[in-house]
Amino acid sequence: MSLFVSLGRYLVLVALLVVATPTLGQFQPTDTQRQAAVEIAESLRYGHYTDVDIDDDWSARVFTRYLDVLDGQRAYLMRRDIDAFQDLETTLDDAILDGQLDRVYGLYQRYHERTESRLEWLLAKLDQDMDFDFTGEERLELDREDVPWATNESELDELWRKRLDNAALSQVLGGQDEEQVITNLRQRYEGQLSRVRQTEEEDVFGLFMAAVTGTIDPHSEYLSPRQGESFDIQMRLSLEGIGALLQSDGEYVKITSLVPGGPAERAGVLEPADRIIAVGQEDEGEMVNVVGMRLDNVVDLIRGPKGSVVRLDVVPAQAVDMTRSQVVEITRDTVNLEDQAAQGEVIEIERDDGTHRIGVIEIPTFYVDFDAWQAGEEDFRSTTRDVAREIERLEEEGIEGIVLDLRNNGGGALQEANSLIGLFIDRGPTVQVRDARGRISLYGDTETGTEYDGPLGVLVNRLSASASEIFAGAIQDYGRGLVLGSSTFGKGTVQTLNDLSHGQMKLTRAKFYRISGDSTQHRGVEPDIIFPSLVDPDLIGESSLDNALEWDTVRAVQYRHYGEPWRYLESLKDSHQKRIDTLPNFRYLELQAELNRRMRERQTSVSLNLEQRQREVEQQEAEQLALENQRRRALGLDPLEEWLDARGEEPEDADDPLDRVQINESAHILLDYSRLDTRYQLAEHR
């Protein structure tokens, strides 16, 4: 079983609304797809970590999820369409076990007919020289996943009339005149219709299998031959693109994380939970609207040769209205090992008794040059070796403690997490892995001695996952250091990739547990001292994914405690709170996170009245701008006139910039901890 684990290596195969049948014939499952369905069923029954019963109860869940995959916003199918295929609610188990997929494809065929008809309806409306009226009092509901299925076409006509008005209103708010609005919308729907008519049987099979595997857990999935090729490219880190991992989110494509050292991270123009609404190439040509486009098609548009430029129209994660977008440019590049290497620095802290030096080592991923290692080369690159070199260098500079920065580290090679822990402990277990049969394997550090035994802190955030969580959890369990930041992602499962007669199956086969017995799954690692986070856990993280496996425990293993940081937490938190009360950036993070939450809770619909919509957008952005300028004034920076200008506009020479505030505070906490721990140890020896 492969134990190469990473948040950044999973693909979420959620289909969007732009799929339907080709103009010729009906969709029919091929013999290879029928056989693959049987193999997938067998893999789930006998290979998945959990007990998977393919029965009528499971069939009902798959039927519901298949409908959600096809039409999650209840915008195309009607109640009578669902009733016509209600038999699938109790027969999908037999269908997949026997490879009899005709009725499955039949439901898709019905969905296709509704989708194509609706797009043609929209184009016909635009051809009628529409005179949009934005003076009424109507509102458009944004989330329809729980509304009843429409009972007739007139209900859907009304919904789509509002959607069309909203699409036009968004264009008007973006500064387009009436003629350009019509042109843009016509191009959007013509593009969607064209893609609809290019759909093949393989697309239908992938949609259904996304529903099948999605009922089990979010990381098990079927990969078509095309998707398997893309997965291999990602695993080799040779993808020429922007270095951003994407996920479908309703009709939109959402950034889930940025590849450390990749073009997008270096450019600083994208953030997790941003939504991409259009893609363009270089400086010329029209932007291609990707709202409603399949995820793999969006990826194809973004991917391109090294050195070329891609333009993205992006709605920031904090924006509550989809009209507030920005066009950003990113130069495509490859991501190599050197870009992801651990790097250290020294932070100087001024206290009443003088200047103190704390080392910080940023670890973007857990990497190892497998080819060089397998070839027997002595000087192969790895996380552990690079960190050891940085520790030696930092100690020569007289540091009093080390903070390991694992923020945004999505994981990597498990062996590197184990060996890295070994730099800070003298042999011992690091992680437990339980397989589908309940057998537990214990992994650990077998090397005698440590590289560093001084004060240690580990900084994590919501995008720290898999191997990062194993490392942070072990440091916390051993009492070897403090864990600081926000709760981690919560990916505590292991997947293997197996070949099928057609495509591949990525299957969850095992689960991680800390040496304390707690799983890292779902809950992640809870820091000893929590920092505010702008990443909403309801949008990013294992707990935000459908059917994520639950948290549980196994028996703890025997291990020693290297320290007792919990003795000092109350005192450390008091000192931390006093400091951050005077730090504008920390206060900003707390207030911005709360403001984001409030805005999302109240933004359940949008006004179709132009003036009212403008007032709502202006009110929301005024709140965000006021908070941003409050922070900037406290830091001695010039205030901004537009909220959208806040991204990437902070001067590089600003004291304590926003992206450094957590690092600097972590250094302060570690210095406090070092002093308290020294006093305690001295008292113990008296």
Side-chain angles (χ1 to χ4, degrees):
M1 178 177 65
S2 170
L3 289 177
F4 190 95
V5 289
S6 172
L7 164 66
R9 304 298 180 254
Y10 80 85
L11 303 175
V12 180
L13 298 180
V14 179
L16 302 177
L17 60 86
V18 294
V19 286
T21 190
T23 55
L24 298 177
Q26 302 284 309
F27 279 113
Q28 295 291 336
T30 65
D31 289 341
T32 56
Q33 290 163 359
R34 295 179 191 274
Q35 177 60 31
V38 175
E39 295 172 11
I40 289 169
E42 293 299 296
S43 296
L44 292 173
R45 291 173 75 186
Y46 301 116
H48 196 273
Y49 175 78
T50 61
D51 293 328
V52 178
D53 295 321
I54 298 183
D55 52 19
D56 285 356
D57 289 339
W58 177 84
S59 180
R61 295 196 301 275
V62 174
F63 180 61
T64 298
R65 190 164 184 84
Y66 189 35
L67 291 173
D68 287 340
V69 166
L70 294 179
D71 190 11
Q73 290 298 303
R74 309 294 195 259
Y76 298 95
L77 295 170
M78 290 179 284
R79 180 73 259 173
R80 64 174 179 267
D81 298 323
I82 311 304
D83 293 341
F85 289 89
Q86 200 68 46
D87 57 292
L88 290 175
E89 191 170 26
T90 56
T91 59
L92 282 177
D93 52 335
D94 300 318
I96 190 173
L97 288 169
D98 300 332
Q100 299 302 315
L101 305 178
D102 298 82
R103 288 287 287 166
V104 171
Y105 280 55
L107 174 53
Y108 179 84
Q109 184 74 39
R110 180 69 59 88
Y111 164 72
H112 141 71
E113 293 165 358
R114 299 297 187 198
T115 304
E116 188 170 25
S117 175
R118 183 55 61 184
L119 289 170
E120 291 171 344
W121 182 90
L122 288 167
L123 289 169
K125 286 287 186 184
L126 292 173
D127 288 339
Q128 294 172 2
D129 295 326
M130 294 187 65
D131 182 18
F132 291 104
D133 179 13
F134 302 126
T135 61
E137 299 302 322
E138 292 182 319
R139 300 188 70 86
L140 174 66
E141 188 177 15
L142 295 178
D143 187 357
R144 289 173 44 84
E145 64 179 10
D146 295 324
V147 304
W149 296 99
T151 58
N152 54 63
E153 288 196 25
S154 62
E155 291 182 42
L156 291 183
D157 287 347
E158 180 65 9
L159 168 65
W160 279 99
R161 181 189 62 77
K162 288 184 177 182
R163 283 191 164 194
L164 187 56
D165 284 349
N166 182 59
L169 179 55
S170 298
Q171 298 273 332
V172 171
L173 288 169
Q176 302 293 326
D177 59 31
E178 183 175 340
E179 181 179 353
Q180 190 61 48
V181 167
I182 299 295
T183 299
N184 291 345
L185 293 180
R186 183 177 289 111
Q187 289 177 347
R188 174 188 299 186
Y189 299 130
E190 285 175 347
Q192 290 183 4
L193 186 57
S194 175
R195 292 189 294 271
V196 159
R197 290 170 174 165
Q198 295 173 23
T199 305
E200 301 174 351
E201 276 82 1
E202 188 63 38
D203 299 311
V204 185
F205 186 70
L207 292 176
F208 178 57
M209 286 306 148
V212 167
T213 58
T215 62
I216 310 300
D217 83 284
H219 303 296
S220 293
E221 58 189 348
Y222 165 75
L223 302 179
S224 69
R226 174 188 175 190
Q227 291 161 337
E229 181 182 352
S230 294
F231 185 84
D232 290 341
I233 292 173
Q234 282 192 307
M235 291 297 287
R236 293 195 301 269
L237 283 178
S238 61
L239 176 65
E240 291 186 352
I242 65 171
L245 299 173
L246 310 180
Q247 174 185 333
S248 293
D249 183 20
E251 296 182 351
Y252 300 98
V253 170
K254 178 175 69 177
I255 305 290
T256 56
S257 63
L258 303 179
V259 176
E265 185 190 56
R266 294 197 303 267
V269 294
L270 293 180
E271 296 178 2
D274 285 354
R275 288 148 291 180
I276 299 172
I277 61 175
V279 179
Q281 308 302 325
E282 300 294 339
D283 297 328
E284 301 177 356
E286 296 288 337
M287 299 283 284
V288 177
N289 188 285
V290 298
V291 176
M293 186 181 289
R294 286 172 55 91
L295 178 60
D296 51 359
N297 289 333
V298 178
V299 171
D300 286 343
L301 286 174
I302 295 175
R303 184 183 298 171
K306 178 180 179 180
S308 61
V309 175
V310 63
R311 291 178 294 141
L312 305 177
D313 196 3
V314 177
V315 178
Q318 289 80 26
V320 291
D321 192 288
M322 296 304 294
T323 64
R324 308 304 289 164
S325 66
Q326 289 179 304
V327 175
V328 301
E329 293 186 355
I330 301 174
T331 301
R332 298 179 177 103
D333 201 353
T334 54
V335 180
N336 55 47
L337 198 61
E338 194 65 36
D339 295 324
Q340 304 200 339
Q343 296 182 352
E345 64 171 314
V346 174
I347 291 180
E348 294 188 346
I349 297 176
E350 298 296 333
R351 293 283 179 91
D352 292 341
D353 59 348
T355 301
H356 300 267
R357 298 165 68 82
I358 298 293
V360 175
I361 302 176
E362 180 184 4
I363 305 175
T365 186
F366 288 91
Y367 55 87
V368 60
D369 188 341
F370 281 110
D371 292 338
W373 173 57
Q374 292 175 344
E377 297 181 16
E378 293 185 3
D379 196 30
F380 64 88
R381 294 294 299 276
S382 74
T383 300
T384 303
R385 289 179 169 215
D386 287 348
V387 170
R389 280 192 287 267
E390 291 298 305
I391 289 174
E392 182 178 355
R393 182 179 67 81
L394 292 172
E395 287 189 306
E396 290 176 356
E397 296 190 34
I399 50 102
E400 299 177 49
I402 291 178
V403 175
L404 300 177
D405 185 0
L406 297 184
R407 291 177 300 174
N408 307 325
N409 183 323
L414 179 63
Q415 70 184 58
E416 283 305 303
N418 290 330
S419 60
L420 187 65
I421 294 169
L423 297 182
F424 307 100
I425 67 168
D426 184 14
R427 297 172 55 178
T430 55
V431 64
Q432 304 181 73
V433 181
R434 184 168 70 176
D435 66 17
R437 297 183 180 180
R439 298 174 300 192
I440 295 178
S441 300
L442 189 61
Y443 294 81
D445 166 51
T446 59
E447 298 290 332
T448 301
T450 62
E451 181 70 26
Y452 176 76
D453 57 9
L456 182 67
V458 181
L459 180 59
V460 295
N461 66 3
R462 188 62 170 174
L463 297 176
S464 305
S466 285
S468 293
E469 297 175 285
I470 291 169
F471 180 88
I475 294 298
Q476 192 174 58
D477 290 338
Y478 273 115
R480 180 59 188 85
L482 291 166
V483 177
L484 312 169
S486 52
S487 296
T488 59
F489 191 93
K491 185 181 184 296
T493 57
V494 184
Q495 286 72 41
T496 60
L497 194 64
N498 305 308
D499 290 332
L500 303 172
S501 61
H502 181 71
Q504 296 175 300
M505 184 70 186
K506 184 152 71 79
L507 196 65
T508 297
R509 298 295 304 271
K511 203 171 181 181
F512 290 127
Y513 294 85
R514 293 163 58 161
I515 55 177
S516 63
D518 289 351
S519 172
T520 57
Q521 170 64 17
H522 208 283
R523 294 186 184 180
V525 176
E526 186 78 4
D528 299 306
I529 297 178
I530 296 176
F531 294 171
S533 172
L534 296 183
V535 178
D536 188 342
D538 291 335
L539 300 177
I540 300 290
E542 189 79 5
S543 60
S544 72
L545 302 176
D546 292 338
N547 299 315
L549 299 187
E550 293 298 325
W551 177 88
D552 62 349
T553 63
V554 296
R555 182 178 299 177
V557 299
Q558 289 189 335
Y559 59 94
R560 59 175 285 193
H561 284 139
Y562 285 80
E564 298 176 319
W566 45 87
R567 285 178 174 268
Y568 318 115
L569 287 183
E570 185 174 351
S571 176
L572 291 172
K573 289 178 181 178
D574 286 343
S575 298
H576 163 66
Q577 189 63 49
K578 290 176 182 177
R579 267 192 308 272
I580 66 175
D581 284 344
T582 66
L583 294 176
N585 277 332
F586 238 99
R587 184 60 177 158
Y588 168 81
L589 289 175
E590 293 175 330
L591 295 176
Q592 182 67 63
E594 175 61 23
L595 178 60
N596 292 345
R597 183 190 62 79
R598 291 200 312 270
M599 285 185 170
R600 278 190 291 269
E601 287 179 351
R602 70 191 186 210
Q603 190 74 6
T604 59
S605 66
V606 292
S607 174
L608 300 180
N609 180 290
L610 177 59
E611 294 182 358
Q612 177 63 23
R613 181 74 160 270
Q614 286 177 320
R615 284 194 295 271
E616 291 177 0
V617 172
E618 289 170 359
Q619 178 185 351
Q620 293 160 355
E621 293 191 357
E623 292 182 75
Q624 293 171 309
L625 181 61
L627 184 57
E628 170 65 21
N629 282 337
Q630 174 183 325
R631 177 185 79 90
R632 297 177 75 87
R633 281 190 291 269
L635 292 170
L637 302 175
D638 293 333
L640 300 175
E641 294 184 2
E642 294 283 344
W643 168 71
L644 285 176
D645 293 338
R647 287 165 63 109
E649 288 295 320
E650 190 161 340
E652 293 183 1
D653 59 350
D655 293 334
D656 197 20
L658 187 59
D659 62 351
R660 296 283 298 175
V661 64
Q662 293 189 352
I663 281 288
N664 292 336
E665 178 56 21
S666 297
H668 276 284
I669 292 173
L670 188 61
L671 181 59
D672 290 343
Y673 170 59
S674 172
R675 291 177 163 186
L676 289 170
D677 193 42
T678 300
R679 292 171 189 166
Y680 173 75
Q681 291 179 15
L682 289 173
E684 286 284 289
H685 285 89
R686 287 173 182 167

